[in-house]
Amino acid sequence: MNNYSIISSLLDNDFYKFTMQNAVIKLFPSAIAKYEFINRGNHSFPNNFAEILKEILNQMALLKLSNKEKVFLEKNCPYLDSSYIDFLDKYQYNPNEVNIYQKGRNIKMNIEGLWSRTILWEVPLMAIISELYYKLTDKKRISDKKIIFLIKRKLKKYKKLNAKIGEFGTRRRYSYQVHKLVFKVLMEEGYPFFLGSSNVHLSQIFSIKPIGTQGHEWVMFHAAKYGFKTADRIAMENWLNVYNGNLGIALSDTYTSSIFFKNFNKKLSNAFKGIRHDSGDPIFFTKKAIEHYKKFKINPIQKKIIFSDNLTPDKVARISSFCKNKITPFFGIGTNFTNDVGVHSMNIVIKMIKAIPKKEWISVVKLSNVKEKSTGKKNMIFLAKKDLHL
């Protein structure tokens, strides 16, 4: 038995995984999904990494929602169905859904099963891989004191900019311990600019509402079921139907923002409180968004853009100054909070690669606004681009 118990709560995950899981159970309970680990940074994994990882996943099967956690969800997330919270109350991770094997220094991994179950694996798995990698390769971090100093210095900059910020750093954190330390400083020093975190477990510990809406897989699945051209629109309509206008931030770059804006009609533009930017030039995107809202006679200042693409204080300063008096920005800061500790952060992702929306497997792709962030089989990416005239 190893001593690497990294995830100690079922809620140590991003909030949008639970909001999507609730929607999946409601609308697509029999859908099946397959995810794949992608080592974008070509990291070299130490011997025995896969074996230790498997042991940790076996320990995760013991995690259960505590009564305190259940009460927290009921109180702070009233838009989650009570039947869904009952489902979560009985939910346990099944390590058999995850296949891991190691060849030399390379790790291969996929996750397969009911979408409503496998949806929760991605974020904690990435957090485990990241923390375990640093432990086994002995990558030492800076001291707690230095981390606290850095976070306070960043907060000073954000306060000066009047920037509203959230913490989105679970998946690529250096460790759980660092994440908790960062969260503590944000809670103590961040008022009134720190609006919350996507991590539900730490939100519960520190008594703050978790934040988040939906991820790319929501739209990717809709493309498998309804085709690329209408995926954005139907995904948004379904989201509205499930949440009645709550959690109203639309994701704008699954099939590039130009395709998104074509789908983001007047009704949806009015109904959603804002949009999330996750790839491509943020200034160019902001201009497009403002133009789009004005076309429908919607005042852009009443709408939000959640920026969440690899943010640093300098990037936030540039975006803030451009958005001033034009549209309302919010910044979801991930790795720069939870893994700015003197080591290289890992460049890894876990993405849905296939789904069975009806009867057979269909490959899914994400096109994004930048080539590096696109995922999926080459032939399917080619088909999607052809279909969308990109």
Side-chain angles (χ1 to χ4, degrees), residues 28-279:
F28 311 110
S30 59
I32 292 169
K34 185 173 185 175
Y35 299 79
E36 191 172 72
F37 171 68
I38 303 163
N39 181 4
R40 275 188 192 151
N42 292 317
H43 304 284
S44 178
F45 290 92
N47 292 335
N48 228 15
F49 190 91
E51 290 315 305
I52 298 170
L53 186 55
K54 282 176 192 171
E55 276 186 49
I56 295 171
L57 299 197
N58 288 335
Q59 291 168 31
M60 279 178 72
L62 306 173
L63 296 175
K64 291 209 72 159
L65 195 70
S66 73
N67 199 45
K68 208 173 170 185
E69 290 172 332
K70 189 178 179 183
V71 170
F72 172 80
L73 290 176
E74 285 166 345
K75 192 178 159 208
N76 292 282
C77 315
Y79 31 75
L80 294 176
D81 290 11
S82 57
S83 61
Y84 167 66
I85 292 177
D86 288 341
F87 165 88
L88 207 55
D89 197 24
K90 295 181 184 72
Y91 181 92
Q92 280 174 287
Y93 281 107
N94 177 2
N96 293 331
E97 291 164 347
V98 187
N99 293 303
I100 310 162
Y101 48 98
Q102 182 164 357
K103 204 175 172 187
R105 297 283 178 158
N106 207 7
I107 295 285
K108 296 270 185 211
M109 177 169 27
N110 58 59
I111 304 153
E112 191 180 315
L114 273 174
W115 190 23
S116 60
R117 287 195 43 82
T118 52
I119 197 165
L120 289 191
W121 276 113
E122 175 196 350
V123 176
L125 250 176
M126 284 178 65
I128 292 166
I129 291 167
S130 187
E131 183 164 345
L132 189 60
Y133 177 79
Y134 295 124
K135 277 182 174 162
L136 296 181
T137 54
D138 208 23
K139 296 266 193 289
K140 295 277 189 280
R141 65 171 173 88
I142 55 176
S143 67
D144 283 8
K145 199 175 164 188
K146 189 87 196 282
I147 291 171
I148 293 166
F149 169 77
L150 285 176
I151 297 293
K152 284 184 177 176
R153 192 169 71 181
K154 286 170 192 173
L155 281 173
K156 226 177 183 167
K157 289 180 181 176
Y158 294 138
K159 284 179 181 178
K160 216 173 166 180
L161 293 166
N162 231 341
K164 297 274 189 275
I165 55 164
E167 181 277 306
F168 287 10
T170 305
R171 62 187 60 219
R172 292 187 191 94
R173 65 192 183 195
Y174 176 86
S175 68
Y176 172 73
Q177 191 198 346
V178 166
H179 196 174
K180 198 172 180 181
L181 177 68
V182 167
F183 206 112
K184 189 171 181 284
V185 180
L186 290 171
M187 286 297 289
E188 287 167 1
E189 310 278 337
Y191 183 81
F193 299 97
F194 173 59
L195 300 187
S197 165
S198 62
N199 187 290
V200 189
H201 163 62
L202 290 170
S203 297
Q204 185 248 318
I205 287 178
F206 289 95
S207 305
I208 188 170
K209 281 183 183 183
I211 50 179
T213 51
Q214 85 277 93
H216 294 99
E217 67 187 280
W218 179 251
V219 187
M220 288 157 76
F221 176 84
H222 280 76
K225 193 166 169 70
Y226 304 105
F228 296 110
K229 285 179 179 154
T230 56
D232 277 311
R233 180 177 59 79
I234 300 172
M236 284 186 272
E237 283 168 356
N238 276 338
W239 197 256
L240 277 182
N241 292 339
V242 171
Y243 288 111
N244 303 316
N246 287 307
L247 307 175
I249 300 293
L251 186 53
S252 65
D253 70 332
T254 315
Y255 297 111
T256 74
S257 296
S258 60
I259 299 300
F260 167 79
F261 283 121
K262 278 180 189 165
N263 279 274
F264 200 38
N265 58 31
K266 189 175 184 175
K267 179 193 161 198
L268 293 169
S269 297
N270 272 301
F272 277 84
K273 294 182 181 83
I275 47 188
R276 178 154 80 93
H277 168 269
D278 196 47
S279 64

Side-chain angles (χ1 to χ4, degrees), residues 261 264-266 269-270 275 285-303 322-327:
F261 283 121
F264 200 38
N265 58 31
K266 189 175 184 175
S269 297
N270 272 301
I275 47 188
F285 177 82
T286 305
K287 285 179 184 168
K288 295 290 286 180
I290 291 167
E291 214 175 276
H292 178 84
Y293 283 126
K294 283 182 172 168
K295 181 179 83 182
F296 291 132
K297 311 248 182 309
I298 295 167
N299 183 358
I301 207 76
Q302 291 167 352
K303 296 293 182 182
F322 184 79
C323 290
K324 209 175 170 125
N325 303 326
K326 297 188 190 92
I327 198 160

Side-chain angles (χ1 to χ4, degrees), residues 321-363:
S321 114
F322 184 79
C323 290
K324 209 175 170 125
N325 303 326
K326 297 188 190 92
I327 198 160
T328 307
F330 172 89
F331 302 94
I333 297 156
T335 313
N336 193 253
F337 271 157
T338 59
N339 204 344
D340 185 15
V341 297
V343 301
H344 280 298
S345 57
M346 298 193 81
N347 189 358
I348 54 174
V349 291
I350 291 173
K351 287 287 173 201
M352 185 192 276
I353 54 158
K354 279 180 177 179
I356 302 181
K358 294 169 191 158
K359 285 185 179 130
E360 57 184 354
W361 284 112
I362 293 176
S363 290

